[in-house]
Amino acid sequence: MLTEVFSVIVFSDVLCVTVIQGQDDWGVTYSSTEICALKGSTVEIRCTYTYPSRKNYRKTEVEETFWFTKLSGYQPVDLRTDSDYQHRVEYSCSEKSCTLRITDLRESDSAKYKFRFITNQPDGRYTGSPGVTLRITDLHVSVNSLHRYTSELWAQLECHSSCRLPARSSYIWYKSGQQVQSQTSSTYSVYFNYADSYSCAVKGHEDFPSPPVCVDGQTCNRVIYTDRSICAFKGSSVDISCTYSSYETIRSKFWFSPERSHQWQSPSQPEDLSEDSQFAGRVQVLERWRGRSTLRITDLTESDSAQYHFKYTTRNFEWRSSLPGTTLTVTALQVQVTRITVHQSDTEAELKCHSSCSPAGRLSYVWFKNRQKVTGVETSSFKGRVYPGDIISCALKGHENYGSPPVCE
């Protein structure tokens, strides 16, 4: 029978549970039981674990370690095989400790994470409870108070989130896209005018700011990008969108990429992407309704991986924000060999169509064996018998001309 003694510690408003165990106990200790993290950022969840060195006259050896949030048929599902976490999960495990790293955090990642290890003992499977509750949050600016004086407007703003970030967090404030110096508190008292918008970020996480808000009304100067990051396949098309508003009439507007500044006449003056020779015939700007702009790039190449910004100019103002735009990552497919089983007369292979990032949505794949389409397989995995001389490749359905390099048996 396992005996565990718990000591409870409150640290930065997060309840941490330390499990004090004997030498021969089974157990998992999590560094914290609650974590609040920003959407789009990266989080690390850590634990240590113990097990008896010997049992039933047999030395205990760990055969498998993994993290999970879901069950399938009463069995935990390894996050590395969960399609919701594809290309975003990494384990860093050593003897009796393991760290889970999740990148590009999404709201759907809010869940309870548990660590499980399996040993060579007949009953040597252990899952650590209670696990770690991860909550994903966005930052938002709220107007706590607003005062109108004879010739001035004053407001108290607050940068807040749906869960509690570390108590010692330092904040950065932006006014109409430009950083405000010497403001590090989560609250900000300011005299403003109707044209100004305000946004905030946590220091160290400047790539994940809040959407800019108007202090009073809805027609201040601001740009809000629909996506912070987009992953797309080589050869496909992508839509990068934003909404925008202006206090004055807009005279000109266009999309640009800071990574192309070496092509500009002046490095400090952005130039319209549609006039860049690298994008000739591949760029289209769509404005289906007022206040929303979409940059469409077709026939994507890996060199299109960059950050994209929207700029507009009025008679007295130019939106050239120091806030991040939308980061596009263009990825090519690769065939990854996950398992090989050699038989007397042939070889059985398990392959995966792999990319460096995971595009959104459900994707269908096409597999080719000796340049002939394999029927009945539309998933990212392929399993079948291969023979000497066979070559296998994969592609995204609808983009067969941009398949992976072939691999040989």
Side-chain angles (χ1 to χ4, degrees):
M1 180 176 179
L2 298 178
T3 303
E4 298 179 344
V5 181
F6 293 89
S7 66
V8 180
I9 306 168
V10 177
F11 178 73
S12 299
D13 301 309
V14 175
L15 182 66
C16 303
V17 179
T18 302
V19 185
I20 304 172
Q21 299 156 320
Q23 182 75 27
D24 293 330
D25 282 342
W26 299 86
V28 174
T29 304
Y30 298 102
S31 59
S32 62
T33 56
E34 292 187 11
I35 297 176
C36 176
L38 292 173
K39 181 180 176 182
S41 67
T42 296
V43 71
E44 290 187 348
I45 304 175
R46 300 180 176 89
C47 78
T48 58
Y49 59 98
T50 59
Y51 52 87
S53 57
R54 298 184 69 85
K55 189 175 181 182
N56 301 324
Y57 305 104
R58 178 193 293 180
K59 181 182 178 181
T60 304
E61 295 180 357
V62 176
E63 297 178 338
E64 188 178 358
T65 58
F66 62 92
W67 295 80
F68 71 95
T69 62
K70 305 172 186 173
L71 299 176
S72 176
Y74 303 104
Q75 292 300 314
V77 177
D78 188 338
L79 285 180
R80 290 171 296 191
T81 66
D82 190 330
S83 59
D84 291 338
Y85 294 87
Q86 190 175 22
H87 310 310
R88 299 191 299 120
V89 161
E90 180 182 317
Y91 296 170
S92 178
C93 301
S94 56
E95 186 178 2
K96 296 188 176 182
S97 69
C98 195
T99 297
L100 164 66
R101 179 183 173 89
I102 311 173
T103 60
D104 189 22
L105 287 168
R106 304 167 183 176
E107 291 178 14
S108 59
D109 295 335
S110 294
K112 188 178 286 287
Y113 292 78
K114 293 184 179 182
F115 176 77
R116 181 172 174 82
F117 65 94
I118 300 171
T119 72
N120 61 339
Q121 299 291 354
D123 56 350
R125 298 167 179 259
Y126 194 90
T127 297
S129 291
V132 178
T133 299
L134 175 64
R135 293 185 173 89
I136 309 304
T137 185
D138 261 337
L139 293 178
H140 297 278
V141 172
S142 61
V143 181
N144 287 348
S145 57
L146 178 65
H147 298 282
R148 295 180 178 87
Y149 301 106
T150 305
S151 58
E152 293 179 313
L153 299 165
W154 179 90
Q156 186 183 69
L157 311 177
E158 182 179 3
C159 187
H160 65 92
S161 58
S162 60
C163 58
R164 190 180 293 275
L165 295 166
R168 294 182 178 86
S169 295
S170 183
Y171 291 80
I172 298 172
W173 285 88
Y174 300 88
K175 175 183 174 181
S176 296
Q178 300 301 317
Q179 184 175 338
V180 178
Q181 301 299 324
S182 72
Q183 289 294 328
T184 60
S185 171
S186 62
T187 58
Y188 180 26
S189 298
V190 61
Y191 288 98
F192 70 98
N193 65 55
Y194 289 107
D196 296 333
S197 65
Y198 289 88
S199 178
C200 65
V202 175
K203 192 170 184 179
H205 298 279
E206 291 86 349
D207 288 342
F208 312 103
S210 70
V213 299
C214 304
V215 179
D216 194 17
Q218 295 297 319
T219 55
C220 62
N221 297 318
R222 59 177 171 172
V223 172
I224 302 174
Y225 296 95
T226 306
D227 299 291
R228 289 188 178 130
S229 62
I230 297 176
C231 174
F233 283 118
K234 179 181 176 181
S236 65
S237 300
V238 69
D239 284 353
I240 303 172
S241 300
C242 73
T243 57
Y244 63 91
S245 63
S246 172
Y247 193 68
E248 300 176 329
T249 301
I250 293 176
R251 292 185 169 183
S252 66
K253 55 184 182 287
F254 59 82
W255 288 84
F256 70 95
S257 173
E259 283 85 348
R260 301 294 294 168
S261 60
H262 63 282
Q263 296 285 344
W264 302 341
Q265 291 185 4
S266 170
S268 62
Q269 290 297 320
E271 294 182 9
D272 192 338
L273 202 67
S274 62
E275 298 176 3
D276 190 317
S277 59
Q278 176 180 308
F279 296 90
R282 299 192 298 123
V283 162
Q284 184 181 7
V285 176
L286 309 173
E287 294 226 7
R288 293 194 173 99
W289 61 83
R290 186 177 179 182
R292 181 178 178 85
S293 181
T294 297
L295 171 69
R296 176 170 293 172
I297 310 174
T298 60
D299 194 18
L300 287 169
T301 67
E302 290 175 88
S303 61
D304 295 334
S305 295
Q307 193 167 126
Y308 294 85
H309 291 250
F310 180 78
K311 173 189 172 180
Y312 68 77
T313 304
T314 70
R315 186 165 64 98
N316 298 304
F317 178 79
E318 180 180 73
W319 179 271
R320 288 184 55 189
S321 173
S322 57
L323 293 166
T326 294
T327 299
L328 171 65
T329 302
V330 180
T331 183
L333 295 176
Q334 299 283 337
V335 173
Q336 188 178 52
V337 180
T338 56
R339 181 177 295 177
I340 290 289
T341 306
V342 179
H343 302 288
Q344 189 172 4
S345 59
D346 59 28
T347 302
E348 187 177 55
E350 293 182 27
L351 310 174
K352 190 173 184 65
C353 199
H354 175 78
S355 60
S356 61
C357 59
S358 181
R362 297 285 180 180
L363 302 173
S364 294
Y365 295 82
V366 179
W367 286 90
F368 297 91
K369 183 177 181 181
N370 300 326
R371 297 184 175 84
Q372 298 297 312
K373 183 178 177 181
V374 178
T375 59
V377 183
E378 291 191 353
T379 65
S380 62
S381 299
F382 170 84
K383 182 178 180 179
R385 298 192 182 279
V386 293
Y387 300 88
D390 283 349
I391 58 173
I392 299 176
S393 63
C394 66
L396 188 66
K397 191 174 183 180
H399 300 278
E400 287 82 352
N401 292 335
Y402 297 93
S404 70
V407 295
C408 302
E409 189 275 330

